[in-house]
Amino acid sequence: MNMATSNAQVDEVGAEDGPLYEARRKIYPIAVHGRFRKIKWALLAITLGIYYLLPFVRWDRGPNAPSQAVLVDLANGRFYFFFIEIWPQEFYYLTGLLILAALVLFLMNAVAGRIWCGYLCPQTVWTDLFQAIERMVEGDPRERREKLKHASRAQRAFEAASKHTLWLMVAWWTGGAWVLYFADAPTLVMQLLKGEGPAIAYVWIGILTFTTYVLAGHMREQVCTYMCPWPRIQAALTDEYALNVTYRYDRGEPRGSFKKTQALKLQGLPGGDCVDCNQCVAACPTGVDIREGLQLGCIQCGLCIDACDTVMKKINRPTGLIAYDTDMNVQARQQGRPTVTRLLRARTVLYAALIVVVGGIMLTTLATRGYEGLSVIHDRNPLFVQLSDGSIRNAYTLRLVNKELSSRQFQIAVEGVPDATVEVVGGVPDAQGRPVVAVGPDQTYEARVLVSTHARLPENASLGITFHATDIEGGRTASAPDHFKGP
């Protein structure tokens, strides 16, 4: 086969099969009304209300502590969530939260597919808001098509400018709200308005303004279809009992116009309830035709259900032609078998149990955690010193943590070394001569501690030793193990 023939065949195949990549078409979903649309509006209001307003909620923690209810204090290494304060040493709580979030996502997927994507995903929430602004300014897709024919260029330009201005304002406040979680919100707002805010705040506001404007205003369904990995992951986590937005083809097929279907039914011939109005496609934010089956682009938002139910009511047919169901149930109805809905099954019970276990562990550790901490580092060079009086001395660096909002004094003691004496370098003993370390409110303090003993030790001794730091007033004790070395 010569090259010319080969190229001709390639061209012929390309002409028959079409281009490898389909050109992107813009999707402008129509406005629908119904229970799922109401649920989405309610969740949008709740989630965005929390996100935008939470930085301004105050919480009195007493003196020497910030009064913002939710605050990530990077400068001091603290995370505040109402009455909870997390230190850097307690990073495992964040790990636990991420595990809980993953398990909740798995449970949601096992129960009803991608309901996270359809109702709570930030991309979905902000896209819904941007589309609402678009409809408010320019009208529904039908109105926009009419304006293209009749409205003047000046009107269309004004509406487009108004829409993008409102989009940018929402995007700007989205970025602005994010940085308010990292500083005192009222103070930072005033600094930003005066142009006196930290440079990093302006940088992040700019980044988040740009990403929100582009992703929610322009890319929209492209993020769900091409950028998000979850549609591809969730396919491995679902099963045949998971509820999904489903076109009940057992009832809808064969589809046809209302008049044609009515005529078929009068003749005793089969006719489906689907009137092929395409309202389900027009309402879909990702442009999916749910009648073609479950697809990667479907985010399970239920808007096609509302659109279809509206049409069914107008033509006096039962609603639920599109509903949360399973393909297994559709086939069962076709064969005259009873349908099965199993929300409680091994998969969902396991996820729920893991959520309870992980959440219980986190709550238990949070409720029983101490407000003091102690860690010990042994001097490496030298490991020990033999003094002129024959005693053996080891040196340590103790780091004490005081998580309370008032100053505390800790008595230092050791256990495991016979006849040991403890000295805090630079410290001032209390009235009873006990070695004491003072730690300020919500602070850490490093103390140099010398432990000596006159006791006779075995050769190459390495004794287990435990340090105790006891709050003189509260009586609570923090302990940390180490070793005492000898010749």
Side-chain angles (χ1 to χ4, degrees):
M1 179 185 296
N2 58 33
M3 187 62 67
T5 304
S6 176
N7 290 338
Q9 289 184 349
V10 170
D11 292 340
E12 183 179 350
V13 170
E16 291 178 355
D17 296 345
L20 181 60
Y21 297 103
E22 182 181 359
R24 183 200 171 209
R25 58 186 179 87
K26 291 185 178 181
I27 297 173
Y28 298 102
I30 62 173
V32 296
H33 305 281
R35 54 177 173 168
F36 294 106
R37 179 65 269 181
K38 290 178 181 177
I39 292 173
K40 285 173 66 66
W41 283 134
L43 291 175
L44 182 148
I46 292 170
T47 53
L48 291 186
I50 292 174
Y51 176 74
Y52 288 127
L53 300 177
L54 191 55
F56 298 97
V57 177
R58 302 291 97 183
W59 188 267
D60 185 11
R61 298 184 179 88
N64 306 314
S67 60
Q68 187 162 312
V70 179
L71 175 66
V72 182
D73 189 356
L74 295 178
N76 297 305
R78 304 286 187 277
F79 170 63
Y80 298 95
F81 184 81
F82 293 91
F83 62 90
I84 300 173
E85 178 183 351
I86 303 298
W87 284 53
Q89 299 94 323
E90 298 170 324
F91 188 80
Y92 49 82
Y93 284 114
L94 177 60
T95 304
L97 285 175
L98 293 176
I99 293 173
L100 276 179
L103 291 173
V104 170
L105 196 59
F106 295 164
L107 179 60
M108 294 171 68
N109 178 76
V111 171
R114 292 174 61 188
I115 54 173
W116 161 264
C117 301
Y119 296 90
L120 293 171
C121 175
Q123 172 66 17
T124 297
V125 172
W126 264 282
T127 298
D128 271 356
L129 178 60
F130 274 49
Q131 288 178 341
I133 293 172
E134 186 174 58
R135 294 191 191 102
M136 179 184 69
V137 175
E138 296 182 338
D140 219 32
R142 302 181 185 91
E143 297 178 50
R144 288 200 291 272
R145 285 193 291 269
E146 289 298 318
K147 288 178 181 178
L148 288 175
K149 300 176 182 177
H150 306 293
S152 65
R153 288 187 178 181
Q155 180 183 350
R156 296 202 303 270
F158 174 77
E159 290 180 349
S162 300
K163 176 184 72 174
H164 289 283
T165 300
L166 291 173
W167 280 1
L168 285 170
M169 289 175 63
V170 172
W172 171 80
W173 186 238
T174 300
W178 176 257
V179 302
L180 297 182
Y181 285 92
F182 296 85
D184 183 67
T187 303
L188 183 56
V189 168
M190 295 306 299
Q191 290 176 343
L192 293 172
L193 292 177
K194 295 177 181 178
E196 300 172 355
I200 190 66
Y202 291 106
V203 170
W204 276 106
I205 291 174
I207 292 173
L208 292 172
T209 299
F210 173 76
T211 53
T212 305
Y213 173 75
V214 171
L215 297 181
H218 295 279
M219 297 188 69
R220 297 184 179 180
E221 76 285 347
Q222 302 299 303
V223 176
C224 305
T225 306
Y226 299 112
M227 295 176 62
C228 180
W230 180 238
R232 294 151 182 85
I233 296 172
Q234 66 96 26
L237 301 173
T238 191
D239 59 18
E240 67 273 19
Y241 293 103
L243 297 174
N244 290 288
V245 174
T246 303
Y247 168 62
R248 291 168 167 168
Y249 52 84
D250 60 307
R251 178 187 142 192
E253 298 296 326
R255 73 184 75 159
S257 67
F258 178 74
K259 292 182 179 179
K260 179 180 178 181
T261 304
Q262 289 294 94
L264 289 173
K265 289 183 177 181
L266 290 174
Q267 298 173 25
L269 298 175
D273 281 349
C274 178
V275 295
D276 210 13
C277 61
N278 283 324
Q279 290 301 290
C280 55
V281 182
C284 180
T286 58
V288 166
D289 188 346
I290 195 63
R291 296 171 298 177
E292 296 178 1
L294 190 61
Q295 300 162 59
L296 184 69
C298 178
I299 61 173
Q300 306 291 312
C301 63
L303 295 182
C304 58
I305 299 177
D306 287 338
C308 185
D309 284 351
T310 300
V311 174
M312 291 295 106
K313 290 176 183 177
K314 290 181 179 179
I315 62 176
N316 294 318
R317 290 182 181 176
T319 59
L321 177 59
I322 302 174
Y324 279 96
D325 203 350
T326 65
D327 193 61
M328 182 175 59
N329 281 341
V330 174
Q331 295 177 15
R333 283 191 294 269
Q334 280 187 319
Q335 299 168 9
R337 294 185 286 107
T339 60
V340 178
T341 300
R342 293 179 55 187
L343 297 181
L344 290 178
R345 54 192 191 276
R347 185 187 299 263
T348 57
V349 171
L350 175 61
Y351 291 151
L354 289 174
I355 290 171
V356 172
V357 170
V358 175
I361 292 173
M362 291 182 62
L363 287 176
T364 301
T365 56
L366 190 62
T368 58
R369 68 174 181 168
Y371 286 85
E372 56 283 322
L374 176 65
S375 59
V376 180
I377 300 177
H378 193 294
D379 276 10
R380 295 185 178 275
N381 189 20
L383 289 175
F384 64 90
V385 174
Q386 189 164 13
L387 303 179
S388 58
D389 61 359
S391 61
I392 305 299
R393 185 177 74 189
N394 283 206
Y396 304 84
T397 299
L398 271 63
R399 177 181 287 272
L400 291 98
V401 179
N402 175 21
K403 298 178 183 178
E404 293 189 354
L405 300 178
S406 58
S407 297
R408 300 165 72 185
Q409 289 190 323
F410 293 92
Q411 176 192 346
I412 307 301
V414 296
E415 180 184 0
V417 178
D419 299 327
T421 59
V422 180
E423 176 188 356
V424 178
V425 177
V428 178
D430 63 2
Q432 288 77 32
R434 300 174 298 184
V436 173
V437 175
V439 185
D442 201 35
Q443 294 179 12
T444 62
Y445 182 83
E446 284 190 357
R448 180 86 169 155
V449 176
L450 306 177
V451 179
S452 306
T453 181
H454 288 85
R456 184 177 181 84
L457 303 177
E459 187 176 354
N460 295 323
S462 179
L463 305 179
I465 183 175
T466 303
F467 284 85
H468 302 289
T470 303
D471 182 5
I472 293 178
E473 292 186 4
R476 294 192 297 267
T477 300
S479 303
D482 210 287
H483 291 82
F484 187 89
K485 304 291 185 178

